[in-house]
Amino acid sequence: MTTVTLTGTGVPYPAPGRAGAGTLVRSGDTVLQFDAGRATTLHLAEAGVLPHALTAVLVTHVRSDHVSDLPDLAMTRWIQREVFPAGPLTVLAPAGGAALFVDGMLGPYAADIAVRTEHVQPSPPEVTLHAFAVPDRPEVVWRSDGGLVTVTAVGVRHEPVKEAVAYRVDTPDGAVVISGDTRVCPEVEALCHGADLLVHEACRAAALAEAVRGTVFATIFDYHADTVALGAMAERAGVPHTVLTHLIPAPGKAEEEAEFAADLREGAIAAGSPWDGIC
Ligand SMILES: [Zn+2]
């Protein structure tokens, strides 16, 4: 069985009950975490996944809302190692800023690591980083032992962030696409063909264009995925289920959540089909 769990749907601005970006994909013995924003370690524990159980963490890009809990995952896996044995934490990240972040993320913990190593832990924490060049076309970047689960990456449109990718996980049960942060783009659309589930960031850019004109939010909205355009893209790609995450602006009540769904439906209908794919 393959399951997909959102460990966080938030953005840098804190919203009560909404952790930072993260998606957990479990398929058999394979446990993959995509991004690790604020409170990921806590929400993984609530989902029954302690850090030692992670097969790998895959980073979409280096922005704080996607990586702020990654050091916590690595440190906690290490601190718990005597109780829950685990090898180095495997992390995949695009070469460039994201890989640099992973490479140096435990540096600020040097004093803590030194004390714990002297008194409790037999050796320092280990992170095995696999950095890969951002692919122009979908490219397999990871395979499970035995090859039942594969992860494909492709570069997306999140400029001015230089290195940002979306991922697709293919399992024996089906395929899920995880957008990371991006405008609606053909790269993710291509990744969606034949997939069963799309987890995509969502920004009500078109609906709120007038309200944010001339503010910093207009700039931010420019490099995120407009929900109406996203609905059209999902329809064109034929992906049967779309799950919205990384919601901008964070909805505070049910009616505001419904507006995201309405945008998506509007886009899908404009692309030519009666909508029945939201979940
Ligand atoms: Zn983000």
Side-chain angles (χ1 to χ4, degrees):
M1 184 174 72
T2 296
T3 61
V4 178
T5 306
L6 300 188
T7 56
T9 61
V11 292
Y13 285 39
R18 202 173 284 281
T23 303
L24 169 68
V25 179
R26 287 177 276 193
S27 181
D29 294 336
T30 299
V31 182
L32 301 174
Q33 175 68 23
F34 293 84
D35 285 337
R38 180 183 295 134
T40 295
T41 307
L42 177 65
H43 280 253
L44 278 172
E46 290 171 350
V49 177
L50 294 175
H52 72 280
L54 291 170
T55 309
V57 181
L58 298 96
V59 176
T60 61
H61 65 298
V62 66
R63 280 212 144 169
S64 62
D65 54 319
H66 295 255
V67 297
S68 64
D69 234 35
L70 192 52
D72 191 27
L73 271 180
M75 287 293 288
T76 307
R77 181 177 171 112
W78 173 61
I79 289 166
Q80 292 189 318
R81 198 168 59 183
E82 299 312 301
V83 180
F84 300 109
L89 178 64
T90 296
V91 180
L92 278 81
L100 280 173
F101 175 86
V102 176
D103 211 27
M105 68 181 181
L106 298 186
Y109 291 98
D112 182 15
I113 290 168
V115 171
R116 290 182 190 275
T117 303
E118 189 176 342
H119 292 282
V120 181
Q121 309 290 352
S123 59
E126 294 175 279
V127 173
T128 301
L129 169 63
H130 298 282
F132 59 89
V134 174
D136 292 335
R137 296 178 186 166
E139 188 175 300
V140 173
V141 294
W142 185 86
R143 287 182 205 279
S144 63
D145 293 341
L148 284 178
V149 179
T150 61
V151 179
T152 302
V154 70
V156 295
R157 309 283 182 87
H158 195 41
E159 299 90 349
V161 176
K162 282 184 182 171
E163 301 98 6
V165 299
Y167 291 106
R168 169 175 170 141
V169 190
D170 283 273
T171 80
D173 306 305
V176 54
V177 173
I178 296 159
S179 70
D181 282 10
T182 179
R183 302 175 182 91
V184 173
C185 68
E187 288 83 359
V188 173
E189 185 171 339
L191 217 52
C192 283
H193 288 300
D196 301 277
L197 180 68
L198 169 63
V199 178
H200 206 295
E201 71 125 295
C203 174
R204 299 198 68 228
L208 299 175
E210 279 305 314
V212 303
R213 190 179 302 282
T215 73
V216 67
F217 295 107
T219 306
I220 293 170
F221 285 14
D222 186 52
Y223 50 80
H224 287 286
D226 174 58
T227 34
V228 178
L230 176 57
M233 187 205 81
E235 182 60 37
R236 287 194 304 270
V239 64
H241 299 286
T242 300
V243 176
L244 303 183
T245 187
H246 196 279
L247 304 176
I248 308 174
K253 44 192 176 185
E255 304 89 79
E256 292 167 357
E257 288 180 3
E259 289 172 341
F260 280 86
D263 283 357
L264 203 65
R265 190 175 295 113
E266 178 186 331
I269 291 170
S273 176
W275 181 261
D276 66 356
I278 193 162
C279 62

